[in-house]
């Protein structure tokens, strides 16, 4: 790895603060731009469907740029760079059913979280209203959820946090779980928290085995595409409601899919390690 074009940076709490600082600066820049626009043109851009997409992009880009400049370049002398190489076609045939199985399992577990009551009821109503605002424009939602989010989030959670922890000497499974927990926490609601952790573990496993950030990006986009289509056409992110079957059926199918393709992916498939 001495001559690798990929910098061997590490991730610590300082790196976490740098990411947060970059995220804050990026979002504040967009907010100040909106204030300027309101002052000059008398229009609040927050009411535009694409403003949330722009704000997210600015925050993520700024966070990545901050980590690159203040951590990676200063500690390794190289710029932040990732492996986006494709792998053998057989691997794709394994990882997508693997991901789908975990999506089914995550749906069942998420469905057990209450949506009524003094705390969960009000929080769930607020969460639903927020999601409805994000789905007003299907095109913006697809661009944000299926393209932008997988790219930026995988760079940060798998490419920076998980990889940085492993470079530091943390055991791979611990790095995968830790990055997945942070991934769940940033979703800021209990109904996405559990699912994000479970799906994050699959994304982290695929990244660890293939060494290519392209594959978890594709899987992340696949998950978000399924959720977006369910939201657009059914107003519900539930496979069981869409297919008109019991949640238990979804769980059983999920367990069968996940366990079968996990075995094939881990035990039977020899993944090409492309990162040099």
């Amino acid at each position: 790895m001495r001559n690798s074009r990929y910098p061997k940076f590490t991730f610590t709490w300082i790196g976490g603060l740098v990411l947060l600082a970059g995220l804050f600066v990026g979002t504040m820049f967009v907010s100040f731009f909106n204030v300027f626009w309101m002052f000059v043109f008398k229009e609040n851009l927050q009411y535009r469907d694409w403003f949330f997409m722009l704000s997210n992009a600015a925050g993520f880009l700024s966070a990545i740029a901050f980590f690159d400049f203040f951590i990676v370049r200063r500690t390794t002398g190289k710029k932040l760079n990732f492996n986006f190489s494709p792998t053998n076609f057989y691997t794709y045939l394994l990882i997508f059913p693997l991901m789908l199985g975990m999506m089914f399992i995550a749906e069942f577990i998420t469905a057990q979280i209450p949506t009524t009551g003094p705390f969960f009821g009000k929080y769930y109503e607020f969460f639903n209203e927020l999601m409805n605002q994000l789905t007003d424009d299907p095109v913006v939602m697809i661009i944000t959820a299926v393209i932008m989010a997988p790219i930026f989030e995988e760079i940060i959670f798998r490419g920076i946090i998980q990889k940085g922890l492993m470079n530091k000497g943390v055991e791979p499974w611990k790095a995968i779980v830790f990055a997945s927990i942070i991934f769940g926490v940033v979703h800021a609601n209990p109904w996405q928290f559990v699912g994000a952790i479970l799906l994050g573990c699959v994304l982290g496993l695929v990244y660890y085995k293939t060494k290519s950030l392209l594959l978890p990006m594709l899987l992340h986009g696949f998950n978000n595409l399924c959720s977006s289509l369910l939201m657009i056409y059914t107003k519900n992110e539930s496979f069981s409601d869409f297919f008109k079957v019991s949640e238990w059926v979804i769980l059983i199918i999920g367990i069968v899919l996940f366990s079968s393709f996990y075995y094939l992916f881990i035990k039977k498939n020899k993944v090409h390690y492309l990162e040099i």
Side-chain angles (χ1 to χ4, degrees), residues 85-103:
S85 301
T87 187
N88 53 313
F89 181 71
Y90 180 63
T91 302
Y92 295 99
L93 298 180
L94 299 179
I95 62 175
F96 279 93
L98 174 71
M99 186 67 172
L100 183 61
M102 184 57 83
M103 288 164 60

Side-chain angles (χ1 to χ4, degrees), residues 23 49 51 56 75 92 99 132 140 143 201 205 210 218 256:
L23 182 66
D49 292 329
F51 184 82
N56 269 2
T75 58
Y92 295 99
M99 186 67 172
N132 289 334
V140 172
I143 294 175
C201 287
L205 173 67
T210 64
L218 293 176
V256 172

Side-chain angles (χ1 to χ4, degrees), residues 5 63 80 167 179 252:
R5 64 180 182 272
L80 192 62
N167 287 341
I252 293 172

Side-chain angles (χ1 to χ4, degrees), residues 9-12 15-24 26-27 55-68 71-72 80-82 84 147-167 175-176 178-184 186-187 200 203-204 207 213-214 216-217 220:
F9 59 87
T10 59
F11 182 79
T12 64
L17 292 178
V18 170
L19 285 175
L20 288 174
L23 182 66
F24 176 78
T27 52
S55 180
N56 269 2
F60 281 129
L61 282 171
S62 181
I64 295 169
F66 266 51
F67 191 85
D68 178 28
I71 302 295
V72 178
L80 192 62
N81 190 21
F82 298 103
F84 297 103
I147 299 176
M148 291 174 51
I151 293 175
F152 293 136
E153 291 179 6
E154 290 311 303
I155 287 176
I156 290 176
F157 293 103
R158 254 58 65 179
I160 291 178
I161 297 178
Q162 178 181 315
K163 182 179 180 180
L165 288 172
M166 288 193 294
N167 287 341
I176 292 171
F178 185 77
S180 299
I181 291 175
I182 298 177
F183 183 54
V186 299
H187 282 78
L203 297 171
Y207 180 48
L213 205 55
L214 173 65
M217 285 180 176
H220 195 153

Side-chain angles (χ1 to χ4, degrees), residues 213-240:
L213 205 55
L214 173 65
L215 276 68
M217 285 180 176
L218 293 176
L219 290 178
H220 195 153
F222 170 69
N223 172 75
N224 289 6
L225 176 62
C226 291
S227 297
S228 298
L229 292 176
L230 288 173
M231 286 293 296
I232 291 172
Y233 292 107
T234 69
K235 302 300 180 183
N236 194 329
E237 292 185 69
S238 171
F239 285 105
S240 62

